[in-house]
Amino acid sequence: MAETSSIKLVVEVCNAKNLMPKDGQGTASAYAIVDFDGQRRRTKTKFRDLNPEWNEKLEFIVHGNDVVDTEILEINLYNDKKTGKRSTFLGKVKIAATGFVKAGSETLVYYPLEKRSVFSQIKGEIGLKVYYVDEKSDPLQPEVDAKKAAVEEKPPEEESKPGEKGEQKVDEKKEEEKKDEEKKEEPKPPVKELKKEEQNQPNPPAPSDGNAEKQPSTETPPAQVENPPLAHTDKALTQGKEEKGSGKRSVPSIVNDIELGSLAGDRSRNAYDLVDRMPFLYVRVVKAKKVNSESKNSMYAKLVIGTHTIKTKSQSEKDWDQVFAFDKDGLNSASLEVSVWSEEEKKENEEAKVETCLGTVCFDLQEVPKRAPPDSPLAPQWYGLESEKWPGNDVMLAVWIGTQADEAFQEAWQSDSGGLIPETRAKVYLSPKLWYLRLTVIQTQDLQLGSVIEAKARGLELYVKAQLGIQVFKTSRTSVGSLSSSSSANPTWNEDLVFVAAEPFEPFLVITVEDVTNGKIVGHAKIPVASIERRTDNLTEPKSRWFNLVGDEERPYTGRIHVQVCLEGGYHVLDEAAHVTSDVRAAAKQLSKAPIGLLEVGIRGATNLLPLKTKDGTRGTTDAYVVVKYGPKWVRTRTILDRFNPRWNEQYTWDVYDPCTVLTIGVFDNGRYKCDESGKDVRLGKIRIRLSTLDTSRVYLNSYSLTVLLPGGAKKMGDIEIAVRFTCSSWLSLIQAYATPMLPRMHYIRPLGPAQQDILRHTAMRIVTARLVRSEPPLGQEVVQFMLDSDTHMWSMRRSKANWFRVVGCLTRAAAVARWLDEIRKWVHPPTTVLLHMLLVAIVLCPHLVLPTVFMYVFLILALRVRCRQRLPQNMDPRLSYLDAVGLDELDEEFDGFPTTRSADVVRVRYDRLRALAGRAQTLLGDVAAQGERLEALCNWRDPRATGLFAVFCLVASLVVYVVPFKVFVLGSGFYYLRHPRFRDDMPSVSVNFFHRLPSLSDQVL
């Protein structure tokens, strides 16, 4: 079958390092075999080299979209032996399709070689560049380049065959002919635009074919609503006309599948089983047909159900093609009335337009057909409009009973969320992709500082300031130099400045050299961020570059600066609190691994929500919605208006790459959806679920309490019902995840300092918040900060007490064991003490059974405790959070901003209280330090008599232990420790008295 795909996968085998010698002479003759989708390519053999360099490009043809989700690129290294002997295995590498990048974004990545079996002796790593090329995306590419690439990527002569060469030429001719034909066709929409459309659309509630309908794209007037409780809006409706019916989209390339991630095995696109099915009455009004077609007056359709009325947009020549979804439980009538009205143009002497009813058609809701996916959409039909004055008019519409699983639900006017208000619709947001940008400032040369001797005399101090967007970092100050220095005008720093860069990147990184003494700028340079080199590990150092410094208009050249700059793709940029991390993947796509499982979350509903605002000034109301965050994906449900027991019944999915991550769910009251009000969303509560506490393939359906901390204290705002299921595709991958490091490799090879990491984390939080706030509709700043816990670094007396009691709780268990041993030692329970004597004798006589006994004892304890484990995921613990005993003044201090806005008297009282607590902490730290200094005093001869006594004791103890058998010594020591109280003195022992008399350095502290 001839190949018809224009997508090619290119594997550039660059080099290998530190291979295992396999030829018996301390070297290896390595070659690589690359397999992808049934295709095999081979590199040349590099003889007698443990660090071979191939630099060969191998091409593979991608047959279809499904290949990307299932196929794996495999590279095997072998030691090439003589003819007739089998090649020796040197290692292998497997790369999932999610690690493929587009041409131009590839970087050299070193993959550690894996074993083929447990007994394989493998070491080293191989450097690869893997990317895909779409020939259709660049129609102006010369054909010469394609032929040149084909020549370079021929297999070695050892495995090439004449027949294969002929087939390759025929395939090349066919591809060139097909390429010429495709140039005549219309260009297809870019894949990136399709990606954005699909990312901005929430998961459909169980479409049968797994594809969501396209988001609206053209602005239209809103539908108007009369009579509450169906809220109305003045917002514009965006609706697309490109896809109708089944809503399927076909993309003839693998690029979209690669960028959107793996969707294989996502059963949520075929099942919507974690939530309840909500019945909705769907009405699709397509168009109307008048008997008098010569009239060009605009028309609209009006839908009436009991006291509820809704209008379509007013059109003169275009079709309406609008879908309305009414919550069936909220209907107060058993009939639906659809009428078509004509609007005549306003005349000069008339105050309003003249509206004429062209006819009405009624439907009995008891006879409306029901539809559920995977049934095909109901086809609209022509219905005659009953009218005595204007007979013969028709309207095309479709009416059916469906659920939120209907594919028309996402684009429909929804009665429970206020219609087509953008701020109340369900949305999916994506956090920006974050990178660390490392700038190493090396030195400057030829700085135009006037006379060098005058600069030395003035004692100039310089520093380098770098700015990326709103981030500004500075190096340390350095002087121009001494008079005897030969490089006095070339100051050197060799300092690293690390920034957080978000895609799409800022245009320039601005580097400025400033004179501290005069407060003037010596010069500046601009580095385009798009041209900065990217790296994934520390094996390849970025190239250093010189940039000219530019001053003002009179000084076009003021020197030059030597820097190293790169985008670090081997780190994971932390953008949330460390204890609630939901994603630990590296920034570089080449380092991404295949997901180990799937997380499905069903947001069912909430109960007993408290009113947070008033409606019409008479009664309280709540407009609640839910935000769910896991990894870079944020999900926002639709807002249910004016209900204290809202039912969302929406289901979403996430790919899971690490089981030790946290899912965060927050509930908020919508205060932004009204056009005439500029409010903020009020938080109702938050819950967290750690995935490692969930059993695989089990549905957890539970109701969680929503508690929020207010300046007046903790308050319960209601309950939320959530269904969670974590499915694992491979148990082996899940178990291996517990043995792998939590963060990518670069965090351990070249770690960032704690203080620097905190600064970068909060910078990343601000960037994510700013990007999501600029989305449409925006995700409020208060919402993002509440979900990310951006205020955990601020001082809080309540959190300090909670953490202190957590430490005390951990030490309590050790104290309980110490008390138990003391009771045994004092013969409080004689049978237990006797049994411990017998255990001591058994340990001394059979020491080889100590460790097996300990591990068996621990196993039995864990086996007995498995029945007492938690069956449901835990929610926020008010007792652990120390919410019950917190004071109002402490809460007011916690909610106070930084810097403080309270009066001087209040700040003075809080400062005195903090000083009292700090004094006790100071004393505790001094006591801990004193104990350590006493241990040091045993050997530093600060107290010569005490150290001399300890030296004599060590000499005597060495002789005694040498003479006495070890088992006898241990047995005697144990019996002495467990001796009866009548043989024991009530005063402290000699060793304790001796230790307490050792000197510390407390007497030398001022």
Side-chain angles (χ1 to χ4, degrees), residues 488-678:
S488 57
N490 301 326
T492 303
W493 286 275
N494 288 320
E495 295 185 22
D496 287 346
L497 304 178
V498 182
F499 301 82
V500 177
E503 294 183 357
F505 297 122
E506 298 286 342
F508 295 103
L509 171 66
V510 182
I511 304 175
T512 308
V513 180
E514 296 190 5
D515 181 3
V516 182
T517 308
N518 300 327
K520 296 182 179 180
I521 297 177
V522 178
H524 70 276
K526 291 185 177 181
I527 303 177
V529 179
S531 65
I532 294 178
E533 178 184 355
R534 304 183 184 188
R535 69 171 185 173
T536 58
D537 48 40
N538 65 333
L539 298 178
T540 56
E541 285 292 331
K543 298 178 181 179
S544 60
R545 302 164 64 184
W546 288 93
F547 294 93
N548 292 336
L549 296 175
V550 180
D552 51 17
E553 297 179 356
E554 300 178 356
R555 300 182 303 159
Y557 176 77
T558 58
R560 61 178 189 162
I561 185 170
H562 191 199
V563 298
Q564 279 184 343
V565 59
C566 67
L567 287 167
E568 297 281 7
Y571 291 92
H572 168 69
V573 182
L574 298 173
D575 59 349
E576 51 194 343
H579 60 281
V580 293
T581 302
S582 61
D583 187 16
V584 293
R585 289 176 293 169
K589 191 175 182 180
Q590 297 90 327
L591 299 180
S592 62
K593 299 181 180 179
I596 63 173
L598 187 72
L599 175 65
E600 300 170 81
V601 179
I603 307 167
R604 298 173 64 88
T607 56
N608 303 324
L609 296 181
L610 298 182
L612 295 177
K613 52 192 174 186
T614 58
K615 183 177 183 180
D616 302 329
T618 57
R619 62 183 181 88
T621 183
T622 298
D623 307 320
Y625 69 92
V626 180
V627 176
V628 186
K629 181 195 181 301
Y630 183 78
K633 180 179 176 181
W634 299 64
V635 166
R636 172 178 176 168
T637 66
R638 68 186 191 277
T639 301
I640 305 298
L641 301 180
D642 195 18
R643 292 188 186 178
F644 299 123
N645 299 291
R647 305 299 296 178
W648 294 283
N649 285 309
E650 298 182 18
Q651 184 171 336
Y652 299 91
T653 61
W654 287 263
D655 286 328
V656 178
Y657 296 88
D658 194 297
C660 302
T661 46
V662 178
L663 171 73
T664 304
I665 303 174
V667 185
F668 302 88
D669 175 73
N670 196 330
R672 301 173 182 267
Y673 73 94
K674 293 187 177 180
C675 303
D676 55 347
E677 296 183 8
S678 58

Side-chain angles (χ1 to χ4, degrees), residues 396-409:
M396 177 179 283
L397 54 85
V399 183
W400 72 93
I401 299 292
T403 65
Q404 78 273 27
D406 201 298
E407 60 269 13
F409 183 74

Side-chain angles (χ1 to χ4, degrees), residues 57-109:
K57 293 183 179 179
L58 308 178
E59 278 192 4
F60 298 88
I61 297 176
V62 179
H63 297 288
N65 297 347
D66 56 342
V67 176
V68 177
D69 296 335
T70 58
E71 291 295 331
I72 293 179
L73 178 67
E74 182 173 353
I75 300 98
N76 290 274
L77 282 184
Y78 293 96
N79 176 42
D80 193 358
K81 289 189 175 182
K82 296 180 181 179
T83 306
K85 294 185 179 180
R86 185 179 179 182
S87 299
T88 309
F89 181 70
L90 292 177
K92 68 176 182 178
V93 172
K94 290 185 177 181
I95 305 175
T98 54
F100 302 162
V101 297
K102 195 173 182 179
S105 302
E106 72 276 5
T107 57
L108 179 60
V109 181

Side-chain angles (χ1 to χ4, degrees), residues 44-59:
K44 297 179 181 179
T45 301
K46 297 297 180 179
F47 295 97
R48 297 181 179 276
D49 192 355
L50 295 178
N51 300 290
E53 293 187 4
W54 293 282
N55 294 320
E56 296 186 27
K57 293 183 179 179
L58 308 178
E59 278 192 4

Side-chain angles (χ1 to χ4, degrees), residues 676-750:
D676 55 347
E677 296 183 8
S678 58
K680 292 185 177 182
D681 297 343
V682 181
R683 55 191 182 187
L684 294 174
K686 176 172 57 179
I687 64 174
R688 296 194 187 96
I689 300 175
R690 186 170 291 274
L691 268 61
S692 58
T693 62
L694 303 178
D695 294 337
T696 57
S697 302
R698 176 184 172 186
V699 178
Y700 290 87
L701 177 59
N702 193 25
S703 181
Y704 299 91
S705 174
L706 296 173
T707 304
V708 65
L709 188 63
L710 302 174
K715 188 176 183 180
K716 182 179 178 181
M717 308 299 293
D719 300 284
I720 183 173
E721 186 179 355
I722 299 294
V724 181
R725 177 171 55 205
F726 172 48
T727 55
C728 178
S729 56
S730 172
W731 263 96
L732 182 60
S733 301
L734 184 63
I735 299 302
Q736 287 178 348
Y738 282 88
T740 57
M742 189 72 180
L743 295 173
R745 185 168 176 262
M746 284 292 289
H747 285 270
Y748 306 97
I749 297 177
R750 194 171 183 180

